[in-house]
Amino acid sequence: MADLIQIARSLFAPGKGILAADESVHSATARLASHGIPTSEEMRRQYRDLFLGAPGIEQYLSGVILFSETLLEKGNDHKLFPTSLSARGILPGIKVDLGTEPMSASLEELITQGLIDLPERLVKYKKQGAAFTKWRAVVRIDGDHLPTATAVHENAKRLASYVKEVQMAGLVPIVEPEVLLEGKHSRSRSRAVIETTLGTVFSVLEEHAVDRASVILKTSMALSGSESGKKDTPAEVAEDTIAALMQSVPRQVAGIVFLSGGQTTEQATDNLAAISQKAKEVHAPWPLTFSYARALQEEALTLWKGKEENVPAARAVYLARLAKVSAALG
Ligand code: 13P
């Protein structure tokens, strides 16, 4: 376990964070299509290369979460992506859940799939160079009616089984119970749901006697719902996010990373800065950093348009964004 703790801690190297480049084929297709970029396996490879092959990312990234397809692909430098990332001191990680499906007990809510053949897949991913893993559960807010306790608990149980398998395979687990931004809810409802969700996840992990010291939490920030008509200030987000985390996350975890979850690039950067500042003020016990997908990619995708001649300009805005997000850590 000592090795795992060290790997987990190295993801929190000062000024560095994680790029989530683990969109499934379905999500990557939708992401590219939303920028008018035609999609194919080769375009997805070029999309990955835009972000993973950019010179200088090692100054800001301690790790990258990959999708299984990318583990086996080569960048434009003709090296396998995990090999070239490792050579630059960036740890390759892998998304190991297989996505979500409606829960039979509550059809408006989702349960995450992927436990059945997980041990075999973990052995394979480790051989292919992965050092850490991610499992995403989804928690939807709808008034006081969702999430149901059953959905939160069932997802927490699967997260605990995932953590056990991953630690046994010698890999670091990131547990991601994402509380969605979509909805009309208030920021205080978001805070309460984050608190309950994380409280449930960590109590179920404890029941499963999981070693928490190598577990990384990936969480949403406490935000007013995207259809609430309310725009939170970074100070408000920081106040409620840190309060929820202090209430529900054991001090023993290796650290906490944030997802951007549909916030604009600027919001995700400014909110991270306020949260980092607040965490210092209250002497929060865990290191914090980012694990963003959309907030690190959007500006670059807008410029890239799937065209080789736009790669330098797209990479320049991506590097500039990485610098700003890194600076937000304080
Ligand atoms: P976003 O930062 O785009 O939310 O993606 C992070 C992630 O890994 C969601 O699972």
Side-chain angles (χ1 to χ4, degrees):
M1 284 295 171
D3 285 359
L4 289 190
I5 296 170
Q6 236 167 28
I7 292 170
R9 288 200 183 137
S10 71
L11 288 165
F12 294 89
K16 295 190 184 182
I18 299 172
L19 168 68
D22 61 333
E23 295 84 0
S24 62
V25 170
H26 178 79
S27 303
T29 301
R31 182 79 38 88
L32 293 178
S34 74
H35 289 272
I37 301 167
T39 49
S40 61
E41 196 177 334
E42 171 54 18
M43 281 315 287
R44 286 197 299 277
R45 193 198 63 77
Q46 288 185 31
Y47 160 53
R48 302 310 190 186
D49 190 72
L50 177 69
F51 294 102
L52 307 182
I57 56 172
E58 59 277 12
Q59 197 183 332
Y60 307 111
L61 295 180
S62 53
V64 174
I65 314 173
L66 302 169
F67 184 62
S68 49
E69 177 180 67
T70 315
L71 268 183
L72 299 168
E73 285 176 334
K74 290 181 179 164
N76 292 350
D77 62 359
H78 306 295
K79 291 188 189 129
L80 288 163
F81 282 118
T83 308
S84 65
L85 289 169
S86 301
R88 285 179 285 161
I90 302 171
L91 288 175
I94 174 82
K95 167 190 173 76
V96 304
D97 67 75
L98 299 178
T100 57
E101 64 173 25
M103 271 190 79
S104 53
S106 173
L107 290 170
E108 293 171 292
E109 295 180 285
L110 298 170
I111 183 87
T112 303
Q113 306 296 304
L115 285 176
I116 291 168
D117 61 346
L118 183 59
E120 295 78 12
R121 289 191 291 123
L122 292 173
V123 170
K124 196 174 67 180
Y125 296 149
K126 195 171 182 200
K127 280 200 193 119
Q128 291 165 354
F132 68 100
T133 65
K134 185 190 99 173
W135 178 285
R136 175 174 177 259
V138 176
V139 176
R140 182 179 156 208
I141 303 179
D142 186 1
D144 293 332
H145 142 80
L146 297 183
T148 61
T150 310
V152 172
H153 198 252
E154 280 306 308
N155 272 300
K157 280 187 350 205
R158 294 199 185 182
L159 278 165
S161 303
Y162 146 78
V163 169
K164 279 281 201 200
E165 295 293 353
V166 166
Q167 289 180 332
M168 221 140 53
L171 293 157
V172 166
I174 298 184
V175 297
E176 181 186 16
E178 175 174 357
V179 174
L180 296 178
L181 182 64
E182 285 79 28
K184 297 192 174 90
H185 53 272
S186 64
R187 188 179 66 256
S188 68
R189 174 78 176 132
S190 163
R191 167 180 163 172
V193 171
I194 290 174
E195 229 172 87
T196 313
T197 301
L198 299 184
T200 306
V201 167
F202 285 107
S203 87
V204 174
L205 288 187
E206 193 161 354
E207 280 163 28
H208 284 67
V210 157
D211 174 28
R212 290 175 296 193
S214 67
V215 170
I216 293 172
L217 169 68
K218 177 160 177 166
T219 184
S220 310
M221 299 175 187
L223 297 159
S224 301
S226 53
E227 294 136 47
S228 66
K230 169 97 175 53
K231 187 149 181 282
D232 311 298
T233 66
E236 290 169 337
V237 173
E239 176 81 31
D240 281 343
T241 303
I242 290 294
L245 298 176
M246 292 294 272
Q247 193 61 36
S248 56
V249 184
R251 60 186 310 105
Q252 293 86 352
V253 301
I256 300 177
V257 298
F258 293 95
L259 58 99
S260 57
Q263 298 180 59
T264 66
T265 300
E266 291 298 342
Q267 264 180 312
T269 309
D270 295 347
N271 288 337
L272 182 67
I275 289 172
S276 301
Q277 180 60 36
K278 185 80 191 167
K280 287 185 184 122
E281 277 166 34
V282 303
H283 304 288
W286 351 260
L288 305 177
T289 191
F290 58 90
S291 173
Y292 291 166
R294 282 163 284 183
L296 291 175
Q297 297 181 6
E298 281 305 303
E299 295 159 306
L301 284 178
T302 304
L303 284 178
W304 180 45
K305 302 188 179 78
K307 299 206 166 77
E308 187 163 353
E309 65 266 27
N310 296 333
V311 166
R315 282 182 170 169
V317 296
Y318 164 53
L319 263 289
R321 179 54 53 188
L322 277 172
K324 286 183 199 160
V325 173
S326 160
L329 296 170

